[in-house]
Amino acid sequence: MSRSYYIAGNWKMHKTRAEAAELATALVKELRDGKHKYLVAPTFTALETVGAIVKRTNILLGAQNCAAEEQGAHTGEVSVLQLKDLGVQAVILGHSERRHTYKEDDALINKKVKLALKHGFEVILCVGELLEEREAGKAEAVCETQTVKGLEGVTAEELSKITIAYEPVWAIGTGKTATPEDADAIHAYIRKVVGKLYGADAAEKIIIQYGGSVKADNAALLMAKENIDGALVGGAALKPDTFVPIAKFG
Ligand code: PEP
């Protein structure tokens, strides 16, 4: 298996610039000898500060969202041009909080994915089912729809810039984690969906992270699974003590 592990920290709406700088500085030091691919996604207001700290290190700078338009009358939105100006390298799109709290649908997320790719960003496309969808036996179907619609119009060449994060909504920030077996089954299914769209080689190469209450004590078990290629971490990404052991697993 040629895929490498990719561990990303989503800091959500936490941390002032000074707090973000403290965390980023600690991570640069602790992860200097880390073997995997890393990303941190601070809140917009801390991107410049954190960007200066992670520049020319093995930690990528990510944003947690972007606008679907390049510029214009979009009060409160942040454009890919502005993110590029700050040195941002990747954008997380379709996070469950964007889908469910801020009502972003697949069409909007797809527009953002294509715009981010057009401007050279890597993208982490999040997909995942609600608890009621899982209980109704619809987890695979929901993830398939979100994957297919999220990737609509994305070329085979652009796909190399996409990471998919499987984040069952019921596991995010709740302390409940999908079992490694359940998560791996959905990852395998998503890989199959990517295979149907782009072929077996692309399916084999695509990185699929797991997200949902990943902690130091479950990270290694999750990532030992064949189809789990890393983690998108929320709560545990906010402190070096909890993020570094995940980032340095294995
Ligand atoms: C997330 O928000 O992407 C996430 C996985 O959060 P947590 O790790 O806190 O469940």
Side-chain angles (χ1 to χ4, degrees):
M1 206 252 307
S2 60
R3 297 186 298 272
S4 49
Y5 288 105
Y6 182 9
I7 321 289
N10 172 11
W11 298 357
K12 307 195 184 186
M13 198 174 69
H14 293 286
K15 300 198 182 287
T16 60
R17 285 176 299 162
E19 291 163 347
E22 192 183 332
L23 175 55
T25 302
L27 294 182
V28 165
K29 186 165 164 256
E30 299 276 349
L31 298 182
R32 193 171 289 153
D33 59 347
K35 299 191 298 276
H36 311 307
K37 176 174 175 178
Y38 303 118
L39 171 138
V40 291
T43 193
F44 288 128
T45 54
L47 279 169
E48 186 168 15
T49 303
V50 171
I53 295 166
V54 301
K55 198 170 181 177
R56 283 188 282 276
T57 71
N58 59 345
I59 304 177
L60 295 173
L61 182 66
Q64 298 170 19
N65 190 19
C66 68
E69 305 293 337
E70 259 166 31
Q71 57 190 322
H74 298 283
T75 303
E77 293 287 296
V78 177
S79 123
V80 283
L81 303 178
Q82 294 160 335
L83 296 179
K84 210 186 241 182
D85 185 44
L86 292 175
V88 169
Q89 294 148 299
V91 188
I92 298 172
L93 293 170
H95 189 277
S96 77
E97 287 145 22
R98 301 303 318 171
R99 289 180 188 270
H100 298 290
T101 312
Y102 296 99
K103 309 294 172 213
E104 293 194 8
D105 62 14
D106 287 313
L108 181 74
I109 293 161
N110 175 248
K111 203 168 169 195
K112 293 182 179 195
V113 167
K114 285 189 290 196
L115 186 63
L117 291 170
K118 179 180 156 203
H119 286 276
F121 292 94
E122 292 189 23
V123 168
I124 297 179
L125 171 64
C126 304
V127 303
E129 80 285 357
L130 297 163
L131 183 59
E132 56 264 37
E133 292 167 334
R134 170 156 286 259
E135 286 171 350
K138 293 182 182 157
E140 288 184 350
V142 169
C143 293
E144 176 163 8
T145 301
Q146 292 177 353
T147 302
V148 171
K149 292 193 171 175
L151 294 177
E152 212 171 279
V154 171
T155 66
E157 198 186 323
E158 288 171 329
L159 191 74
S160 62
K161 294 225 162 198
I162 300 257
T163 295
I164 294 179
Y166 168 56
E167 300 207 303
V169 181
W170 48 271
I172 296 179
T174 59
K176 291 182 195 149
T177 323
T179 64
E181 292 68 29
D182 285 350
D184 190 55
I186 299 287
H187 282 232
Y189 189 78
I190 293 169
R191 205 176 290 291
K192 208 166 86 185
V193 170
V194 171
K196 269 195 268 174
L197 295 171
Y198 296 95
D201 192 43
E204 179 58 30
K205 284 191 182 133
I206 195 158
I207 305 285
I208 308 179
Q209 297 171 324
Y210 169 79
S213 300
V214 175
K215 305 277 182 269
D217 60 4
N218 59 23
L221 285 173
L222 285 158
M223 288 186 269
K225 289 290 173 194
E226 190 185 336
N227 289 288
I228 302 182
D229 310 318
L232 179 53
V233 185
L238 295 173
K239 288 188 194 149
D241 288 1
T242 47
F243 188 66
V244 171
I246 299 172
K248 287 187 134 176
F249 91 95

